[in-house]
């Protein structure tokens, strides 16, 4: 009867080897929502969090595509959002899964860029569709020259690679307007809408 937030249940699911089951359940539910959306709305995609440790699972591609195909969903309507905080058990399998999922039309978002977990090497390895700049790089950016320099450097570097930039954690009109006026591709945060 209480809400348990992802920062609590995801580490619990990972430590009890339940994360793959959780991902399958969430993907199945997401496919049902996408099926409804495809009929009524012109929308880009639905984003699903994916534990980076899951990418080491040799059956991941077949399992995910099985669910997508069983639901009759266009894979291009699905995005997988990963944090690169966990170590991969099998790096070759990770690259195989990402390549196969990309080929199927599923694109990746790299979350929490700028927290120390993600860096430019991760961007080069994973070649995400979108990099999400962590709130720590965005807070009070309109008044912080150092953050502005980081932002311009990352924005330009990602755009040269054909990667879109999303700013997370926009909580004020000033942050939003600075980023809007300085080439951000996408934004999210409490200023625009709270998670439901």
């Amino acid at each position: 009867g209480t809400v348990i937030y992802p920062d609590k249940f995801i580490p619990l699911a990972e430590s009890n080897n339940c994360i793959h089951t959780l991902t399958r359940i969430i993907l199945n539910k997401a496919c049902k929502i996408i099926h409804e959306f495809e009929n009524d709305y012109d929308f880009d995609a639905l984003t699903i969090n994916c534990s980076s440790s899951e990418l080491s699972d040799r059956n991941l591609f077949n399992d995910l595509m099985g669910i997508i195909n069983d639901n009759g969903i266009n894979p291009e309507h699905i995005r997988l959002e990963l944090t690169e905080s966990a170590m991969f058990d099998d790096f070759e399998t990770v690259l195989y899964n990402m390549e196969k999922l990309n080929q199927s039309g599923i694109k990746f978002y790299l979350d929490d860029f700028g927290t120390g977990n993600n860096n430019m090497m991760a961007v080069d390895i994973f070649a995400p569709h979108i990099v999400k700049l962590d709130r720590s790089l965005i807070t009070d950016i309109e008044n912080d020259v150092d953050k502005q320099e980081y932002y311009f450097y990352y924005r330009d570097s990602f755009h040269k690679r054909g990667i879109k930039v999303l700013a997370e954690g926009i909580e004020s009109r000033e942050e939003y307007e600075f980023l809007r006026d300085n080439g951000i591709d996408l934004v999210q945060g409490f200023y625009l809408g709270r998670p439901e």
Side-chain angles (χ1 to χ4, degrees), residues 178-196:
F178 175 87
L179 293 162
R180 179 199 63 199
D181 295 343
N182 286 286
I184 197 71
D185 297 301
L186 301 160
V187 291
Q188 72 181 51
F190 289 171
Y191 175 69
L192 301 153
R194 292 184 174 267
E196 296 180 9

Side-chain angles (χ1 to χ4, degrees), residues 56-168:
S56 299
D57 186 326
R58 292 197 172 273
N59 298 317
L60 180 70
F61 174 74
N62 290 334
D63 286 350
L64 297 188
M65 290 310 296
I67 293 169
I68 291 165
N69 292 333
D70 287 348
N71 282 281
I73 299 304
N74 179 349
E76 292 182 3
H77 287 300
I78 295 175
R79 303 286 184 266
L80 294 179
E81 183 173 318
L82 358 140
T83 55
E84 193 257 324
S85 55
M87 292 300 291
F88 297 120
D89 298 326
D90 181 348
F91 197 69
E92 285 184 28
T93 302
V94 169
L95 293 180
Y96 168 82
N97 279 327
M98 291 188 74
E99 184 177 326
K100 294 290 282 181
L101 290 164
N102 258 316
Q103 289 171 356
S104 75
I106 295 173
K107 292 184 172 69
F108 287 88
Y109 292 5
L110 187 61
D111 196 18
D112 297 332
F113 187 90
T115 60
N117 295 327
N118 290 317
N119 56 38
M120 294 301 284
M121 189 168 68
V123 172
D124 288 335
I125 292 169
F126 300 128
H129 178 65
I130 290 178
V131 170
K132 299 178 74 174
L133 300 180
D134 187 74
R135 171 148 178 72
S136 62
L137 295 172
I138 303 305
T139 303
D140 201 35
I141 191 169
E142 71 279 6
N143 298 313
D144 189 322
V145 175
D146 290 335
K147 287 183 181 180
Q148 291 173 18
E149 287 181 15
Y150 280 120
Y151 167 72
F152 290 127
Y153 170 76
Y154 290 136
R155 181 202 63 191
D156 294 345
S157 296
F158 297 145
H159 283 171
K160 284 179 189 171
R161 292 169 167 85
I163 299 169
K164 291 184 179 178
V165 182
L166 184 153
E168 294 185 289

